[in-house]
Amino acid sequence: MIDDITRDKYVLSALSEVYISLHIFDLIDDKLFPMKSNRYIEMWSENFESSQEKIHNVMLNIVSEEHRALMVEFTDFSTLEERMKGQLAISAVFHGKVSGWCRARFIRVKNTEHEKLRYVLYAVECIDEEKKKENHLLYLSQTDLMTGIFNRGYGERMISELLSNKKEGLFCLFDVDKFKLVNDKYGHNVGDDVLIGIARALQSVKRPKDIVMRLGGDEFAVYFVDINSEEAASEIINRFFDEISKIHIEPMTEGINVSLGAVLNKGGLTFDSIYKLADRGVYDSKTNKGNTFKFCD
């Protein structure tokens, strides 16, 4: 069986166009037949006797840390027959240290006469460019392109998920005071710069788990995770206001101010309900000049 495949130059040529490495494993006799390899695979497999040890050590050394456990499990021969039951092939996507994003496949080649899995082809293809395009499309679907923060659709879904999981935190909703006058007086390009400056101020105070988004126009929202007291909330809001005070957009002579409504979520709120509460705070804040906020419950 193996001799037939390795002699078939057309098969080899076609497969080599797609895959960066090709190996056939004989699971019964514990043999390995390299069809296409590279120096990294050879380096990390040469000092081991069994095929399982060879592929295990290759996974430990060429797969990035975040996907190492996945690929060690994927290349476990002891469970391979069960995982491939009723299937011609199985696959897994991982990030490699050498080739970037890759897709690995086990492809059934031949069973024994008793229908036990014997020969499998292990094939790896580089999908780095495909993954970059996929990630770019994902970014476009999640991001407000003007400001670089989450757009309404994705931000709302993320915050809704936190709320449904009863994750306590501080929800803030705000808009820019007299933003229409900015556009009328200085033009929409200056108005856009104001929005970009606001988004950067938000980004400078957010922590990794916090969600910041532009709802549309000059309206923004943020969910600060695990902020559960008015004292802690006031501190982070005032830090945000300090960042806003540093924004200077030419040729504006006026300062930029926002009116903000704040809600401490203790659980039981939906996005719609927390939005309505915070919106009331935005309205009440507009009775005061400068950067102001009001708690609502």
Side-chain angles (χ1 to χ4, degrees):
M1 175 67 184
I2 298 299
D3 288 342
D4 291 342
I5 292 179
T6 55
R7 283 198 301 265
D8 192 335
K9 294 182 180 179
Y10 294 106
V11 171
L12 272 175
S13 177
L15 291 174
S16 296
E17 287 293 319
V18 177
Y19 295 105
I20 58 175
S21 70
L22 295 162
H23 295 77
I24 287 183
F25 290 95
D26 181 341
L27 302 179
I28 304 298
D29 292 341
D30 189 25
K31 293 181 180 179
L32 170 63
F33 302 88
M35 300 173 69
K36 183 179 181 180
S37 189
N38 60 55
R39 62 188 180 91
Y40 299 102
I41 295 173
E42 293 164 2
M43 176 175 65
W44 295 113
S45 62
E46 62 183 355
N47 295 323
F48 295 88
E49 292 297 326
S50 75
S51 297
Q52 179 67 88
E53 289 176 328
K54 288 178 184 291
I55 196 169
H56 177 79
N57 199 56
V58 169
M59 294 302 107
L60 292 180
N61 287 281
I62 70 169
V63 177
S64 298
E65 185 176 357
E66 66 268 27
H67 295 138
R68 198 170 294 151
L70 166 71
M71 291 310 295
V72 166
E73 182 178 355
F74 181 72
T75 54
D76 183 357
F77 291 160
S78 68
T79 63
L80 185 57
E81 182 166 23
E82 180 64 27
R83 286 183 285 129
M84 293 193 70
K85 196 170 185 179
Q87 300 186 73
L88 293 175
I90 59 174
S91 64
V93 172
F94 69 93
H95 189 268
K97 295 179 180 179
V98 179
S99 301
W101 285 99
C102 297
R103 182 181 291 113
R105 284 189 175 92
F106 277 114
I107 302 170
R108 185 187 302 273
V109 176
K110 187 179 181 182
N111 294 340
T112 66
E113 60 182 8
H114 301 295
E115 294 306 311
K116 186 174 178 62
L117 183 64
R118 178 163 190 176
Y119 294 113
V120 292
L121 174 65
Y122 181 70
V124 178
E125 62 177 313
C126 179
I127 58 169
D128 210 45
E129 287 303 315
E130 175 186 328
K131 197 69 176 179
K132 287 177 182 177
K133 291 177 182 177
E134 178 185 314
N135 289 340
H136 181 62
L137 290 174
L138 182 62
Y139 173 82
L140 293 177
S141 72
Q142 297 174 350
T143 306
D144 176 70
L145 297 183
M146 179 192 294
T147 61
I149 62 177
F150 290 146
N151 58 30
R152 179 172 193 141
Y154 187 70
E156 184 173 329
R157 287 197 299 274
M158 293 289 286
I159 294 175
S160 294
E161 185 175 332
L162 291 172
L163 295 174
S164 65
N165 291 330
K166 297 179 169 45
K167 190 67 175 175
E168 292 187 355
L170 168 68
F171 179 79
C172 295
L173 178 70
F174 65 91
D175 59 25
V176 181
D177 294 345
K178 300 179 180 178
F179 184 66
K180 183 177 183 303
L181 293 178
V182 172
N183 281 329
D184 292 344
K185 184 176 180 179
Y186 297 105
H188 288 278
N189 287 339
V190 171
D192 290 350
D193 288 342
V194 169
L195 299 179
I196 293 167
I198 293 287
R200 287 174 179 168
L202 267 179
Q203 292 279 47
S204 70
V205 298
K206 77 176 285 291
R207 290 110 14 113
K209 292 183 179 180
D210 298 334
I211 308 297
V212 297
M213 66 170 169
R214 180 184 175 208
L215 289 135
D218 63 322
E219 190 177 40
F220 293 80
V222 55
Y223 194 81
F224 294 106
V225 177
D226 294 330
I227 298 292
N228 50 26
S229 71
E230 288 195 3
E231 182 181 4
S234 297
E235 181 182 343
I236 200 164
I237 291 170
N238 283 319
R239 279 172 45 208
F240 171 52
F241 286 171
D242 287 342
E243 292 299 319
I244 291 178
S245 68
K246 299 174 186 177
I247 301 172
H248 179 65
I249 308 294
E250 293 287 352
M252 286 181 62
T253 56
E254 306 92 334
I256 298 168
N257 295 306
V258 303
S259 296
L260 185 147
V263 180
L264 286 168
N265 173 47
K266 302 293 186 179
L269 293 173
T270 64
F271 186 87
D272 286 343
S273 62
I274 205 169
Y275 177 92
K276 288 176 182 176
L277 286 171
D279 191 44
R280 194 175 72 220
V282 173
Y283 180 81
D284 292 343
S285 294
K286 288 189 180 296
T287 60
N288 300 311
K289 292 183 178 181
N291 290 317
T292 59
F293 69 95
K294 183 176 177 59
F295 287 109
C296 296
D297 52 28

